Amino acid sequence: MERYNPRDSEPRWRQKWDDHRSFEAAEISDKPKYYVLEMFPYPSGKIHMGHVRNYTMGDVTARYMRAQGYNVLHPMGWDAFGMPAENAAIERGIHPAKWTYENIDTMRGQLKLMGLSLDWSRELATCDPKYYRHEQAMFIDFMEAGLVERKVSMVNWDPVDHTVLANEQVIDGKGWRSGAAVEKRELAQWFFKITDYAQELLDALDTLERWPEKVRLMQRNWIGRSEGMRFSFDLEREDGTPLNEQLTVYTTRHDTIFGASFCALAADHELTKKLSQGSNEIASFRAEVAALGTSEEVIERAEKKGVFLGLYARHPFRKGVRLPVYAANFVLMGYGEGAIFGCPAHDQRDLDFARKYGLDVIPVVAPRDVDPATFTIGDEAFLDTEGDSVVLINSDFLNGMSVAEAKAEVARRMEEMGIGSRMVNFRLRDWGVSRQRYWGCPVPVIHCPSCGIVPVPKQDLPVVLPEDVSFDKPGNPLDHHPTWKHVSCPTCGGKATRETDTFDTFVDSSWYFARFVSPHADLPVSEEAAKYWMPVDQYIGGVEHAILHLLYSRFYVRAMTKTGHMHLEEPFAGLFTQGMVTHETYKDQAGRWLFPEEVVKSETGAVHIKTGEPVTVGSIESMSKSKRNVVDPVSIIEEFGADTARWFMLSDTPPERDMEWTEAGVEGSFRFVQRFWRLVSEIVEATTAQGAVPDSFGAPATDIRRAAHKALQAVAQDIEGLRFNRAIARIYELVNSLQPMVRAEGLAPDTAWALREAADILCQIANPMMPHLTEECWQLLGHETMLAETQWTKPEPSLIVDDTVTIAVQVNGKRRDDLTIPRGAPKDQIEAAALNLDNVRRAIGELAVRKVIVVPDRIVNVVAG
Ligand code: ANZ
Ligand code: ZN
């Protein structure tokens, strides 16, 4: 028997599928639809194991659903704009478009090697004007619908490179390339008004039943709805003279007002700015905060610092008490009022700040059972607020109340005094989509000195990126281009300039799933196609996109619905987030990372192949270039075939968990591929092509049929539940149970028939994971169809029920024995079998059997006397 040779077989089947266009989705059909999508890749240059895992899962689902009779849409495209292409241009002088399209070509070829059942006729790249012209058209519609705003906001500014930096490009307060201290600058930018949908985006999370709870929670936290109060303090100077200005703060803990010991403003708060004009100290503090950049994460990690502003806030309830007012680095301008009152006892940041500046720490909430007089705060703020376990202390009229009661009382009083009101606040900010870069979709507007902002007329779209750009100067190449931005105003015909900002690449990826339903339509989406195909039934991707990409997409379908491009509530009905692919790490004697292929492992330890020196085996970590613990999917596919890689990728580990890639594991999968091939070959040799169904099946044949039909049902359920590792375990089981049957000499005709049927079923259920091997086996079994186009056999109900039951047999109410019989056996058969049991016969002895009570499948009671 010949070994199975994937190098010969795999390309052949891929060619056949292509020739048959087996995976092109029918436009719109009577069949039920199923849209399965994996997050599209960034064309970085080559595929990695994370892609292999992601796309294999999607492909198993797509192939399975097709075999269940669905019209399946399974497309692929490229998230092709973004900084790496521009960096390649700057560093290596290669044009971003050339770099990107070359990468796409390479990666398309690599993906094809995997044998994915993709509809390549729908391929798209976001950097293609055929795609982004629709993005531009929709932007104009969004503008008209009031979903877009241009407003001034803070950016990270590199004073040497004269360029805006993304948060990731600010490293320890310095520009990543220039090393210069970053400044914050105000810049007019484009925003999508996602905050208009904050409540709706939050509420609709409850309808997403097929999303992981953890992702819904992350979105909830990101949207960050809080119920609090906005209220104002009167201000006075050092000498007690009042200011005719008030300080408005936002708080969610108004219950702690008696614990307030200072107020703090953002460095960019209007009042801070004003005061900085007369004070070097305040001005230099503002510069220091600016150097932190705009990343909230960095700000959160920084040491809490501030500067006294020479003002005091009058406590609203404590006569004569005044709170020093600071500017502080942990108060953000974009949130609430950009100002807070600090209560160090019950907020960690406030506590750190208070300790640094020697401010009072007054506990006002304490466990119910402690003595308020002795309750103090150490290094940690007291954060409990729940229920009746804590009470207000040191708080005048609030003493003894729960936190909830105290909040209600403070709100009532402040509202009565007219100094504040309750309000709901969201953490979610409007989505800033402007980027001052070249390799992105141009924002389609024109600035005219007399008409202001004028959208580019739709018939003039797309606004195409100029090709002749240079990257030798820092800043935005669109801005430097000698001619591109100079245009005449579409309204008045006067001299005007194009907007040189391009879109954040998250804009491109917020609607690509909708473009796939009608990728060649003249509109962004054909309504009819969207009505048929949307929403995506199963979306699969990495958890790193759990917040922004998914939230933006959810906003986008709402905006597209508002502007009449389609009518949809949510883009992704089902979401699955897969785990990472991990690998051991290796270091040589000098502490340098080694690639797995540079290392050979033996019983005595790991050795560096080239030098023969011992290698230190380190921890198992997510594959990453920096630690070199990566395995190239292409070299695996070349050596073992795509089916082996796919099979191993899904074996053993539940798909949501991290899975460890091991050389031994791949080899094991390859051996299984061979075993599978051998088994089917042996069945083919031992049996003849499938004839008529035998009149009856004996016990061995029935066993085979039961095993096969049960596997058929179980694998279906496991794939539907995305439990791929369990589906694989079932296939192993079936192979194990069939193998001994084939070896038997002289097969009875019913057994031969059952084996043949089992081989067919085996090919069907393994096909989603190992599409090439199973096609080859299917052909060997004499079929002229392709599995790619074949519906799965339906399991026979009688074969998948558990066939026997064990019931208790009593004599005069006393249990004497158990009886194992076919489920649903007729009463007289059960009765006869029960009376025939040795223990039952003995118990009856000389007595006469008066009555036998049979409860089928449950119990038998023999009444004797
Ligand atoms: C007084 C207070 C006392 C607070 C206390 C907390 C604990 P969420 O729940 O996220 O809405 N805050 C308000 N605006 C801020 C800003 N611009 N920058 C930084 N912090 C700000 O958080 C609301 C709480 O965050 C508010 O409640 C305020 O501090 C702070 F024991 O007010 B709190
Ligand atoms: Zn004009």
Side-chain angles (χ1 to χ4, degrees):
M1 187 175 308
E2 276 181 47
R3 272 167 71 84
Y4 173 69
N5 181 0
R7 270 179 227 164
D8 161 60
S9 151
E10 292 192 350
R12 209 160 10 86
W13 289 106
R14 286 200 294 271
Q15 190 60 50
K16 276 198 143 172
W17 298 326
D18 275 357
D19 294 346
H20 273 235
R21 303 162 145 217
S22 302
F23 309 125
E24 285 184 19
E27 272 313 321
I28 289 172
S29 88
D30 297 336
K31 285 190 191 175
K33 69 94 183 182
Y34 194 83
Y35 184 178
V36 53
L37 183 67
E38 300 94 64
M39 291 179 182
F40 67 163
Y42 178 77
S44 56
K46 55 183 186 182
I47 62 169
H48 55 66
M49 283 297 180
H51 293 131
V52 175
R53 195 171 191 203
N54 190 196
Y55 302 142
T56 302
M57 289 179 193
D59 198 48
V60 168
T61 308
R63 286 180 181 269
Y64 169 76
M65 292 308 283
R66 250 181 240 113
Q68 297 300 322
Y70 286 82
N71 182 23
V72 170
L73 175 55
H74 186 213
M76 182 55 75
W78 309 97
D79 188 11
F81 273 136
M83 270 171 20
E86 224 166 307
N87 293 342
I90 295 165
E91 282 153 21
R92 278 175 277 149
I94 173 168
H95 194 279
K98 185 169 185 308
W99 185 85
T100 304
Y101 280 108
E102 281 176 6
N103 286 350
I104 288 176
D105 285 342
T106 314
M107 288 175 73
R108 187 193 303 107
Q110 297 182 339
L111 287 184
K112 287 198 169 176
L113 291 179
M114 284 182 63
L116 303 172
S117 65
L118 291 165
D119 182 350
W120 285 104
S121 73
R122 293 172 189 252
E123 181 182 358
L124 58 80
T126 56
C127 63
D128 183 344
K130 289 204 282 296
Y131 179 82
Y132 70 66
R133 71 173 249 240
H134 299 292
E135 195 165 299
Q136 294 173 334
M138 280 194 287
F139 179 78
I140 291 165
D141 294 339
F142 289 6
M143 276 176 91
E144 274 159 20
L147 292 161
V148 173
E149 204 175 8
R150 184 170 164 82
K151 57 185 177 191
V152 169
S153 93
M154 285 293 178
V155 293
N156 301 309
W157 180 256
D158 186 319
V160 170
D161 272 357
H162 295 280
T163 190
V164 175
L165 300 175
N167 284 336
E168 315 79 79
Q169 295 174 316
V170 181
I171 295 154
D172 297 328
K174 306 217 165 57
W176 68 316
R177 218 192 301 272
S178 70
V182 167
E183 295 166 6
K184 277 205 271 187
R185 272 221 180 164
E186 289 191 322
L187 204 69
Q189 311 217 68
W190 294 98
F191 286 84
F192 282 136
K193 288 163 78 177
I194 188 171
T195 54
D196 285 0
Y197 290 88
Q199 188 67 50
E200 197 184 317
L201 289 167
L202 181 66
D203 291 341
L205 286 172
D206 293 337
T207 68
L208 298 173
E209 280 155 21
R210 289 201 297 116
W211 279 41
E213 184 47 39
K214 71 165 185 239
V215 174
R216 290 195 281 173
L217 185 65
M218 285 158 87
Q219 295 229 340
R220 247 177 234 127
N221 291 340
W222 188 262
I223 295 168
R225 183 182 197 274
S226 70
E227 287 176 11
M229 275 210 85
R230 177 169 54 191
F231 72 93
S232 304
F233 288 95
D234 289 331
L235 292 173
E236 62 181 49
R237 298 194 182 80
E238 200 94 60
D239 61 10
T241 55
L243 241 71
N244 54 6
E245 205 165 337
Q246 289 191 316
L247 175 63
T248 306
V249 299
Y250 174 71
T251 177
T252 49
R253 292 295 309 277
H254 28 300
D255 56 303
T256 66
I257 186 67
F258 284 91
S261 59
F262 67 97
C263 284
L265 275 54
D268 295 323
H269 192 280
E270 282 310 317
L271 188 55
T272 316
K273 281 195 207 165
K274 205 165 81 187
L275 295 167
S276 73
Q277 281 158 18
S279 156
N280 285 339
E281 201 192 353
I282 300 173
S284 71
F285 178 73
R286 288 195 64 221
E288 188 184 329
V289 175
L292 276 179
T294 58
S295 156
E296 280 186 32
E297 204 192 312
V298 172
I299 294 167
E300 191 61 43
R301 270 188 280 117
E303 190 201 351
K304 308 293 167 274
K305 272 192 194 168
V307 59
F308 179 53
L309 297 178
L311 296 177
Y312 292 87
R314 290 181 181 155
H315 195 285
F317 299 119
R318 295 172 73 197
K319 274 250 132 42
V321 171
R322 54 186 213 167
L323 314 172
V325 178
Y326 289 80
N329 62 356
F330 62 90
V331 182
L332 307 171
M333 194 50 218
Y335 188 68
E337 299 296 320
I340 63 159
F341 78 79
C343 175
H346 304 293
D347 183 286
Q348 193 61 43
R349 296 172 304 181
D350 294 352
L351 183 61
D352 297 345
F353 190 81
R355 294 285 186 230
K356 187 171 167 84
Y357 295 102
L359 300 164
D360 288 345
V361 180
I362 314 164
V364 290
V365 178
R368 188 172 279 281
D369 47 15
V370 306
D371 176 5
T374 59
F375 185 64
T376 54
I377 302 292
D379 288 339
E380 274 178 38
F382 180 76
L383 302 177
D384 292 4
T385 56
E386 281 313 300
D388 281 333
S389 61
V390 294
V391 289
L392 271 284
I393 58 169
N394 301 326
S395 295
D396 195 353
F397 55 82
L398 301 175
N399 285 340
M401 289 185 185
S402 70
V403 167
E405 286 164 348
K407 279 186 186 175
E409 181 60 16
V410 170
R412 193 186 66 74
R413 289 193 187 225
M414 286 188 172
E415 278 168 354
E416 202 175 82
M417 291 156 76
I419 60 169
S421 55
R422 282 169 244 237
M423 80 179 254
V424 170
N425 204 22
F426 291 94
R427 214 184 77 94
L428 183 67
R429 299 277 69 111
D430 276 335
W431 174 14
V433 294
S434 282
R435 296 292 179 271
Q436 291 71 36
R437 319 209 63 88
Y438 166 72
W439 194 233
C441 168
V443 177
V445 300
I446 288 165
H447 299 272
C448 169
S450 30
C451 312
I453 284 167
V454 184
V456 173
K458 284 206 179 155
Q459 69 269 18
D460 295 347
L461 296 180
V463 176
V464 182
L465 286 172
E467 280 170 27
D468 53 336
V469 280
S470 75
F471 295 90
D472 44 16
K473 266 192 280 183
N476 183 353
L478 289 179
D479 210 28
H480 309 149
H481 192 279
T483 56
W484 184 78
K485 72 174 176 186
H486 301 289
V487 288
S488 49
C489 169
T491 308
C492 70
K495 274 195 180 175
T497 53
R498 279 190 195 289
E499 173 64 69
T500 56
D501 285 354
T502 52
F503 286 132
D504 175 9
T505 57
F506 274 119
V507 177
D508 314 332
S509 57
S510 290
W511 71 284
Y512 78 107
F513 48 84
R515 183 67 186 162
F516 276 138
V517 308
S518 52
H520 311 295
D522 249 353
L523 293 168
V525 279
S526 128
E527 246 215 276
E528 202 191 359
K531 201 167 149 202
Y532 176 74
W533 285 114
M534 293 300 293
V536 175
D537 295 281
Q538 185 64 59
Y539 198 32
I540 308 178
V543 75
E544 67 276 16
H545 293 299
I547 299 177
L548 294 183
H549 164 58
L550 294 172
L551 197 62
Y552 292 154
S553 300
R554 297 180 61 218
F555 160 73
Y556 230 86
V557 300
R558 286 167 169 80
M560 287 173 73
T561 298
K562 185 169 186 193
T563 48
H565 287 286
M566 60 179 181
H567 294 279
L568 189 66
E569 273 156 25
E570 286 287 338
F572 312 118
L575 173 71
F576 188 82
T577 53
Q578 94 267 6
M580 307 277 259
V581 185
T582 65
H583 197 284
E584 271 181 342
T585 47
Y586 307 108
K587 272 185 183 176
D588 69 8
Q589 295 303 86
R592 281 180 298 249
W593 299 108
L594 296 172
F595 288 107
E597 74 238 26
E598 297 178 290
V599 175
V600 61
K601 291 172 81 179
S602 70
E603 275 151 38
T604 52
V607 172
H608 190 173
I609 297 172
K610 209 163 62 193
T611 63
E613 281 181 5
V615 163
T616 317
V617 179
S619 55
I620 297 158
E621 295 183 43
S622 294
M623 287 190 177
S624 81
K625 274 187 219 154
S626 61
K627 296 196 170 135
R628 300 202 163 183
N629 60 337
V630 289
V631 176
D632 175 22
V634 173
S635 70
I636 294 292
I637 293 172
E638 276 166 2
E639 189 172 352
F640 300 102
D643 287 341
T644 294
R646 295 168 59 118
W647 184 259
F648 177 53
M649 208 36 124
L650 300 175
S651 307
D652 304 333
T653 314
E656 65 278 10
R657 299 238 198 98
D658 290 355
M659 72 90 65
E660 188 192 350
W661 186 273
T662 63
E663 280 59 38
V666 187
E667 282 157 17
S669 293
F670 185 67
R671 280 195 301 276
F672 181 72
V673 166
Q674 296 299 340
R675 233 179 101 198
F676 192 105
W677 169 251
R678 243 178 359 254
L679 174 65
V680 175
S681 306
E682 283 165 7
I683 291 175
V684 169
E685 270 167 34
T687 61
T688 50
Q690 201 69 316
V693 188
D695 293 336
S696 65
F697 292 97
T702 305
D703 283 349
I704 292 170
R705 297 197 69 208
R706 277 188 199 291
H709 283 257
K710 279 187 177 174
L712 179 61
Q713 191 200 31
V715 169
Q717 286 170 350
D718 285 336
I719 294 179
E720 279 170 30
L722 306 168
R723 296 180 297 267
F724 305 115
N725 58 315
R726 288 192 29 198
I728 281 189
R730 312 254 190 206
I731 295 171
Y732 270 110
E733 264 171 43
L734 182 59
V735 166
N736 287 342
S737 69
L738 294 180
Q739 214 149 31
M741 307 303 296
V742 198
R743 301 259 157 78
E745 290 281 302
L747 287 173
D750 62 334
T751 313
W753 193 94
L755 271 176
R756 201 81 192 192
E757 181 194 39
D760 281 356
I761 288 175
L762 185 62
C763 290
Q764 289 175 356
I765 61 180
N767 173 259
M769 300 83 165
M770 301 192 290
H772 312 87
L773 168 70
T774 48
E775 290 284 13
E776 196 75 33
C777 291
W778 188 249
Q779 191 178 49
L780 194 65
L781 284 160
H783 298 284
E784 271 152 25
T785 52
M786 284 199 289
L787 272 176
E789 294 168 1
T790 303
Q791 309 267 296
W792 280 20
T793 309
K794 296 261 173 289
E796 252 176 58
S798 65
L799 292 170
I800 55 179
V801 291
D802 248 332
D803 37 331
T804 58
V805 277
T806 300
I807 60 179
V809 182
Q810 301 178 332
V811 177
N812 291 335
K814 203 163 171 202
R815 180 185 190 134
R816 295 294 180 183
D817 210 336
D818 287 335
L819 182 64
T820 299
I821 44 149
R823 183 185 288 278
K827 279 189 181 183
D828 52 346
Q829 193 186 325
I830 300 173
E831 186 178 323
L835 292 175
N836 207 25
L837 292 168
D838 281 348
N839 288 338
V840 174
R841 287 226 298 258
R842 220 169 291 132
I844 295 170
E846 299 298 301
L847 302 173
V849 174
R850 295 186 188 277
K851 201 170 164 192
V852 180
I853 303 159
V854 177
V855 185
D857 298 345
R858 301 285 295 280
I859 200 166
V860 179
N861 190 18
V862 181
V863 184

